[in-house]
Amino acid sequence: KGSSTEFKGVPGCKKQRSAADDARRHAKAGRSPQFSAPTSPGQATSAASTVHAFKTPKRASQLTDAFHLGSAPRCIQQQLDRSAGDAAGVGPATTAAITDLPAVGDDRVGYQSAVPLTSQGQTVLLYYEVMEYRAGRAVVSFAFTSLGQPFQQVADIVTPVVTRVQQAQA
């Protein structure tokens, strides 16, 4: 979450915006390309990650701590609703903590949002999942989207990436 514009103007995101601003100022960031699965019409699946390398684990913890706060689900939900604007047939989003995150790294937090998309009387859920993993002095942020069901390859992607980031610091 290195973009300071990501939470800008979203009332429930003050702590998360402050942590993102801090990451932008005090960490080196590397972003993966966004990967999209070849999909048939009407499907959308993507995965992206960002690694923030801080000078100390304490500084890295400030980023993950902002997403452990009780305001985080509302922040993410407001951000999604705002990005949808008043588009016909979109939303509102519902957001909840992910309780079965892969157990890698030193700290982890994640949320899953479901956004109903309605067109021609049909409604399908767009799932948006965000996760923050701290590994030593680094934080790996993941964003997954999928249509119709939650992203199925979370552990296959998160586990090796976070493990490599942790091993790189050893």
Side-chain angles (χ1 to χ4, degrees):
K1 305 299 167 222
S3 166
S4 62
T5 60
E6 188 163 5
F7 302 110
K8 192 174 183 114
V10 182
C13 295
K14 288 179 176 44
K15 297 285 188 186
Q16 292 78 19
R17 184 176 57 247
S18 174
D21 287 345
D22 185 69
R24 187 177 43 78
R25 284 192 306 273
H26 298 288
K28 293 190 186 303
R31 288 176 176 68
S32 75
Q34 180 170 327
F35 296 96
S36 298
T39 56
S40 58
Q43 291 188 316
T45 301
S46 67
S49 64
T50 302
V51 177
H52 291 94
F54 293 87
K55 290 188 184 205
T56 66
K58 181 180 179 186
R59 186 67 91 170
S61 290
Q62 291 175 339
L63 183 55
T64 52
D65 289 351
F67 290 91
H68 279 294
L69 296 172
S71 63
R74 187 183 67 206
C75 166
I76 293 164
Q77 189 165 320
Q78 287 177 346
Q79 180 187 9
L80 285 170
D81 288 342
R82 181 184 176 136
S83 67
D86 50 9
V90 178
T94 57
T95 302
I98 300 172
T99 58
D100 60 347
L101 291 169
V104 292
D106 300 310
D107 188 20
R108 68 202 65 82
V109 60
Y111 297 95
Q112 179 184 84
S113 299
V115 181
L117 305 175
T118 304
S119 176
Q120 300 175 348
Q122 300 282 330
T123 300
V124 67
L125 293 177
L126 175 67
Y127 288 91
Y128 178 68
E129 296 165 283
V130 293
M131 298 158 203
E132 306 287 339
Y133 276 81
R134 186 178 68 77
R137 61 183 187 84
V139 175
V140 186
S141 303
F142 294 93
F144 301 105
T145 59
S146 58
L147 198 61
Q149 67 179 354
F151 193 79
Q152 298 297 300
Q153 294 83 24
V154 168
D156 296 339
I157 294 172
V158 167
T159 301
V161 170
V162 174
T163 300
R164 279 194 301 265
V165 168
Q166 200 149 29
Q167 289 170 346
Q169 299 175 64

